[in-house]
Amino acid sequence: MTVDKSNADARRQELMKEIERLKKEKNAIILGHYYQRDEVQEISDFIGDSLALAQKAAQTDADIIVSCGVNFMGETAKILSPGKKVLVPDLNAGCSLADSCTAEDLQKFIDENPGYTVISYANTTADVKALTDVIVTSSNAVQIVNSFPEDEKILFSPDRNLGNYINSLTGRNMRLWDGACIIHEKFSVEKLVNLKKEHPDAKVLAHPECKKSLLALADKIGSTKGLLDYAIQSDAKKFIVVTESGILYEMKKACPDKEFIPAPPDDSTCACNECHFMRLNTLEKIYDCLKNESPEITVDPEICEKAVRPINRMLEISKNLGLIK
Ligand code: CIZ
């Protein structure tokens, strides 16, 4: 082992120990999204998709939540736990998709389309949630849209790829906000076709935030949790994964005997597709934010009150449909 590597390992161990100490001292928990760096997932108390994490946080009696993901995830945690302090390791962790739809612009879209029900993906800011009738996630969107009468006029924000995918499965004609996640848009069809040729025995797992041309090549389309569950239950031994490559950490942990190959983006020689914003969170920054109790995510209490309604409506519909208990 080189001196540099052993120094880095020692620092990592020291940070992990200090983070554990601060967590106990401050009655804090760490939420880690599936797209986080491996070491951030390793130190997290809960790992999951954005909504599952926010719900977990609301169920604990922790005083402090450290949300390791992107900012809208911290906001969702705050909306569901307004009495708790929500910290994020790096306030620069924005989200291209959430940021593609401001509340001001969505309000214009709503005003131009009177009489429409507004359905938004959970990957939105608190302000956008406050203008929404029902929130959906990529795991329940199809069923929730289908729970509305066939002639319901629906505006869907902010992801056009997910919106198109839902329209194709439900036969609806929802009007779509023209937003997208820069990471999921970046996957290359040509490189995926080549990868499939190299690994003909691999199943392709793709997230519905990807373009239609990529989804057409998938064996399974699903949310992060849906793809993970599919990989666990499948008899296949090899998978090509077409979503942010952080999910491979959990996939490999859950299925050590299976092989996971990240699908490459079209604009680089890099083999995997990483979200720069998600990767801003590091052990150093988690330690600093716990120590200093900053940066903190705050949401205007009035917005919190409005934004929780479409989330609760989603949970209520999901319960009625038997999707959750
Ligand atoms: O909402 C999430 O956590 C994301 C980004 C994707 C998913 O499918 O869970």
Side-chain angles (χ1 to χ4, degrees), residues 33 35 49-50 72-73 121 123 138 207 209 223-225:
H33 190 267
Y35 295 161
D49 63 31
S50 55
F72 81 80
M73 298 179 183
Y121 188 26
N123 304 22
S138 41
H207 195 278
E209 288 178 29
S223 65
T224 45
K225 172 87 168 67

Side-chain angles (χ1 to χ4, degrees), residues 27-281:
N27 189 26
I29 57 160
I30 300 179
L31 307 179
H33 190 267
Y34 287 130
Y35 295 161
Q36 290 297 286
R37 290 168 184 269
D38 293 2
E39 62 273 25
V40 172
Q41 294 194 48
E42 202 181 324
I43 194 83
S44 294
D45 297 289
F46 300 107
I47 301 166
D49 63 31
S50 55
L51 196 77
L53 289 177
Q55 286 177 284
K56 272 272 181 234
Q59 287 157 9
T60 78
D61 58 5
D63 296 312
I64 293 179
I65 297 166
V66 180
S67 172
C68 298
V70 288
N71 288 341
F72 81 80
M73 298 179 183
E75 283 190 350
T76 310
K78 185 69 186 176
I79 292 165
L80 292 182
S81 301
K84 292 177 179 155
K85 188 179 257 190
V86 178
L87 306 174
V88 290
D90 192 326
L91 260 187
N92 294 313
C95 166
S96 58
L97 179 57
D99 294 344
S100 76
C101 184
T102 65
E104 207 186 352
D105 289 342
L106 182 63
Q107 185 61 62
K108 272 193 216 142
F109 194 42
I110 294 170
D111 293 343
E112 285 159 14
N113 294 281
Y116 277 70
T117 295
V118 183
I119 299 187
S120 296
Y121 188 26
N123 304 22
T124 49
T125 62
D127 290 341
V128 164
K129 286 187 175 75
L131 295 174
T132 294
D133 296 304
V134 193
I135 291 293
V136 296
T137 69
S138 41
S139 57
N140 61 21
V142 168
Q143 292 93 330
I144 290 190
V145 168
N146 261 335
S147 74
F148 283 88
E150 267 175 44
D151 59 353
E152 185 90 15
K153 296 195 290 187
I154 299 173
L155 293 185
F156 184 80
S157 84
D159 191 306
R160 60 172 178 261
N161 293 325
L162 178 62
N164 273 319
Y165 174 68
I166 301 168
N167 276 342
S168 74
L169 289 192
T170 60
R172 307 293 171 118
N173 188 19
M174 301 187 299
R175 289 216 168 144
L176 309 180
W177 182 264
D178 193 17
C181 159
I182 47 168
I183 296 305
H184 285 94
E185 283 260 296
K186 239 175 23 180
F187 286 108
S188 155
V189 171
E190 198 189 329
K191 287 185 182 175
L192 179 57
V193 168
N194 289 339
L195 211 50
K196 268 170 73 95
K197 278 188 199 142
E198 251 179 75
H199 304 279
D201 51 335
K203 295 268 184 219
V204 175
L205 312 178
H207 195 278
E209 288 178 29
C210 294
K211 285 189 255 182
K212 200 174 158 185
S213 49
L214 272 137
L215 296 182
L217 299 169
D219 295 291
K220 168 72 186 171
I221 300 169
S223 65
T224 45
K225 172 87 168 67
L227 299 181
L228 176 63
D229 289 345
Y230 181 87
I232 293 170
Q233 282 151 22
S234 171
D235 291 335
K237 290 281 176 220
K238 213 188 243 190
F239 303 87
I240 299 171
V241 184
V242 197
T243 189
E244 212 276 353
S245 55
I247 187 79
L248 267 74
Y249 174 80
E250 268 303 297
M251 288 179 166
K252 287 178 185 166
K253 205 166 104 186
C255 313
D257 57 330
K258 298 183 180 179
E259 188 183 347
F260 297 94
I261 305 159
D266 60 7
D267 62 349
S268 83
T269 48
C270 177
C272 55
N273 200 353
E274 292 182 351
C275 172
H276 156 78
F277 294 116
M278 288 280 181
R279 308 282 162 152
L280 285 175
N281 301 322

